[in-house]
Amino acid sequence: MSQRPDVRPRRIAVLSVHTSPLAQPGTGDAGGMNVYVLQTARQLAARGTEVEIFTRATSSHLPPVQQAAPGVLVRNVVAGPFEGLDKYDLPTQLCPFAAEVLREEARQQPGYYDLIHSHYWLSGQVGWLAKERWRVPLVHTAHTLAAVKNAALAAGDLPEPKTREIGEKQVIEQSDRLVANTADEAAQLVDLYAAAPGRIDIVPPGADLTRYSPGAKAAARAELGLPVHEKIVAFVGRIQPLKAPDVLVAAAAEVLRRDPGALRVLIVGGPSGTGLERPDALIELARALGIADSVTFLPPQPPDRLVQVYRAADLVAVPSYNESFGLVAIEAQASGTPVLAADVGGLGTAVRDGESGLLVPGHRIPDWADALTYLFADPERLRRMGRRAEAHAANFSWAHTADGLLASYSAAIDSYRVDHDLSRALGERVSLERALGEGGQAR
Ligand code: UDP
């Protein structure tokens, strides 16, 4: 990957069609991608690259433009109805969205954006069109891939439609560079989507290490109204089948059957997606398993309260069926709390097995119950893991991510120029040959 500072973009268009970086993450369609887009934009702007983020307006109260941070604008594009449009219906609104993105550039001087970075395949489709029009490179981050998600579906979850996979393949083919969170994701892009390995940059996401840091457990519990003396395992994130909060609840029920009062489960987040999507469904599950009194629910929390959740917990569980990275795992570790995670996707990178937490292969309830019992059996070992977790998380900062993105952008701009100079030269040669062929000599 080239790191030439001379090809650093002055201003980029970031496309985040289906979810706004200003939305509260942890419910609906808002999660790690929102955090990623906003945090990297801040870091890029601080390094001198202005960022304009285009997202679909989901309320009539939103102004057309919002300043999210110095050098970072969010453009709320009107495309389709503000409310009630399902993520799966969004492909029908890509045309009006793209039209507004193109119109915005037309209002400015030519060459206003040096590069486009699209997030998720829907944005990639818009980026593909804008790239052709503006003659600038397109960098794409998939965040999740349909083929990967469909290969490990949770019970009750619906498979991603074939059309998404087709759309993803097109975007991957059209992008100048692809950003993958981990080496695993890079391999999936190559194996499942035929991406050229030389066009992929591996750039791990981060956590806001100034916000997520260790702190007093007792004070955090007091702030959240949680009991001081219980062992607490927390789940943080969107409540949807893919995230498998039900696996944690069922495993906790098994532990509590063996040892009543052994732990409390704290679930933080709001509904999202299909199937086991409602906190109500989890409440019903806890009731059916006879552990309703040992499960506490909190709605989605803003970052300054979320850090207290991580500090209050003795352990954070991430039992997802698939996770391209898992920001919650890094945030928890940065707050000094070990993580018990499923051994899937990026979680193998986010958690150091046996050091900063534990990775569990598969989702068998007895395995998860055993892992909980093992970790809670030795409080000193758990505290040691917490210290290692903090050290491990220190490797993942948004500053580091932004540096990786800038290197990817430089490489994209470089290769784009080379390709275009080459095709222009080829074009000139073809017209010269034609002219020579037709008239016997150049005119
Ligand atoms: N989050 C939050 N408040 C909540 C729950 C989650 O701000 O109540 C944020 C959390 O800090 C994390 C993101 O939502 O940055 C979830 O990202 P992750 O990669 O873990 O999962 P995703 O939502 O991308 O599947």
Side-chain angles (χ1 to χ4, degrees), residues 11-36:
R11 186 183 297 108
I12 64 169
V14 168
L15 307 180
S16 175
V17 171
H18 81 285
T19 173
S20 167
L22 298 179
Q24 165 66 56
T27 189
D29 287 329
M33 195 183 106
N34 306 60
V35 175
Y36 185 109

Side-chain angles (χ1 to χ4, degrees), residues 250-280:
E254 178 119 5
V255 174
L256 288 165
R257 215 169 8 250
R258 295 177 200 161
D259 182 6
L263 55 78
R264 167 164 299 278
V265 179
L266 172 62
I267 307 270
V268 182
S272 166
T274 52
L276 239 184
E277 74 275 37
R278 297 165 302 127
D280 310 13

Side-chain angles (χ1 to χ4, degrees), residues 3 19 22 74 116 124 128 175 233 294 303 305 321 325 342 358 404 408:
Q3 288 211 291
T19 173
L22 298 179
V74 173
I116 302 163
W128 172 12
S175 299
V233 53
S294 301
R305 293 263 298 177
Y321 285 94
F325 193 73
L358 269 193
S408 183

Side-chain angles (χ1 to χ4, degrees), residues 121-417:
W121 75 279
L122 293 169
S123 305
Q125 291 276 325
V126 177
W128 172 12
L129 180 64
K131 159 204 158 88
E132 295 285 330
R133 190 66 183 269
W134 301 346
R135 295 173 184 274
V136 297
L138 171 66
V139 175
H140 179 69
T141 307
H143 291 276
T144 62
L145 293 164
V148 175
K149 192 176 167 195
N150 285 347
L153 277 184
D157 212 353
L158 297 173
E160 290 296 303
K162 191 78 196 150
T163 45
R164 172 175 166 189
E165 239 176 274
I166 294 168
E168 287 176 333
K169 277 207 174 105
Q170 292 168 329
V171 171
I172 286 164
E173 204 177 298
Q174 296 298 326
S175 299
D176 294 275
R177 292 203 81 76
L178 299 164
V179 172
N181 287 331
T182 61
D184 254 14
E185 193 189 335
Q188 287 157 355
L189 286 165
V190 174
D191 297 344
L192 306 174
Y193 287 86
R199 284 195 299 120
I200 304 174
D201 299 314
I202 299 168
V203 182
D208 182 350
L209 300 177
T210 55
R211 186 178 299 280
Y212 297 111
S213 62
K217 195 179 291 296
R221 288 190 180 190
E223 191 179 324
L224 298 168
L226 294 168
V228 179
H229 297 297
E230 288 183 344
K231 288 174 182 155
I232 295 180
V233 53
F235 167 94
V236 174
R238 292 180 279 161
I239 296 177
Q240 55 176 204
L242 181 81
K243 296 275 178 190
D246 51 317
V247 168
L248 174 62
V249 170
E254 178 119 5
V255 174
L256 288 165
R257 215 169 8 250
R258 295 177 200 161
D259 182 6
L263 55 78
R264 167 164 299 278
V265 179
L266 172 62
I267 307 270
V268 182
S272 166
T274 52
L276 239 184
E277 74 275 37
R278 297 165 302 127
D280 310 13
L282 271 189
I283 297 170
E284 280 157 26
L285 178 67
R287 255 193 223 126
L289 293 169
I291 63 160
D293 291 345
S294 301
V295 185
T296 303
F297 289 87
L298 286 178
Q301 302 290 312
D304 56 331
R305 293 263 298 177
L306 195 54
V307 63
Q308 300 295 47
V309 169
Y310 294 135
R311 288 172 180 169
D314 298 293
L315 184 67
V316 167
V318 187
S320 312
Y321 285 94
N322 176 46
E323 202 67 71
S324 80
F325 193 73
L327 296 186
V328 160
I330 293 295
E331 293 163 3
Q333 292 174 88
S335 310
T337 305
V339 174
L340 172 62
D343 192 3
V344 296
L347 290 169
T349 306
V351 178
R352 283 192 67 191
D353 193 19
E355 294 283 319
S356 69
L358 269 193
L359 293 172
V360 181
H363 292 82
R364 288 185 60 244
I365 304 304
D367 294 345
W368 279 80
D370 288 348
L372 286 171
T373 304
Y374 168 79
L375 287 170
F376 281 133
D378 185 344
E380 185 39 47
R381 182 179 51 209
L382 202 57
R383 272 193 290 276
R384 230 177 11 250
M385 280 186 163
R387 288 192 292 275
R388 292 196 192 125
E390 188 198 350
H392 176 56
N395 299 316
F396 299 91
S397 69
W398 289 119
H400 192 241
T401 308
D403 289 339
L405 291 184
L406 279 174
S408 183
Y409 296 165
S410 290
I413 293 171
D414 249 357
S415 64
Y416 189 84
R417 278 184 191 161

Side-chain angles (χ1 to χ4, degrees), residues 12-21 37 51-57 64 73-77 97-98 100-105 107-108 112-113 116-117 119 123 126 134:
I12 64 169
V14 168
L15 307 180
S16 175
V17 171
H18 81 285
T19 173
S20 167
V37 169
V51 180
E52 297 199 1
I53 305 165
F54 292 82
T55 189
R56 202 181 77 84
L73 293 185
V74 173
R75 296 193 177 277
N76 298 304
V77 174
F97 190 95
E100 194 45 47
V101 170
L102 296 181
R103 225 172 267 142
E104 183 52 44
E105 201 256 2
R107 280 186 206 116
Q108 313 286 351
Y112 191 67
Y113 301 109
I116 302 163
H117 188 168
H119 295 271
S123 305
V126 177
W134 301 346

Side-chain angles (χ1 to χ4, degrees), residues 31-73:
M33 195 183 106
N34 306 60
V35 175
Y36 185 109
V37 169
L38 187 60
Q39 293 291 346
T40 54
R42 281 198 176 124
Q43 295 286 338
L44 290 168
R47 284 160 178 70
T49 293
E50 281 179 38
V51 180
E52 297 199 1
I53 305 165
F54 292 82
T55 189
R56 202 181 77 84
T58 51
S59 157
S60 58
H61 301 302
L62 285 171
V65 190
Q66 289 169 285
Q67 174 142 30
V72 181
L73 293 185

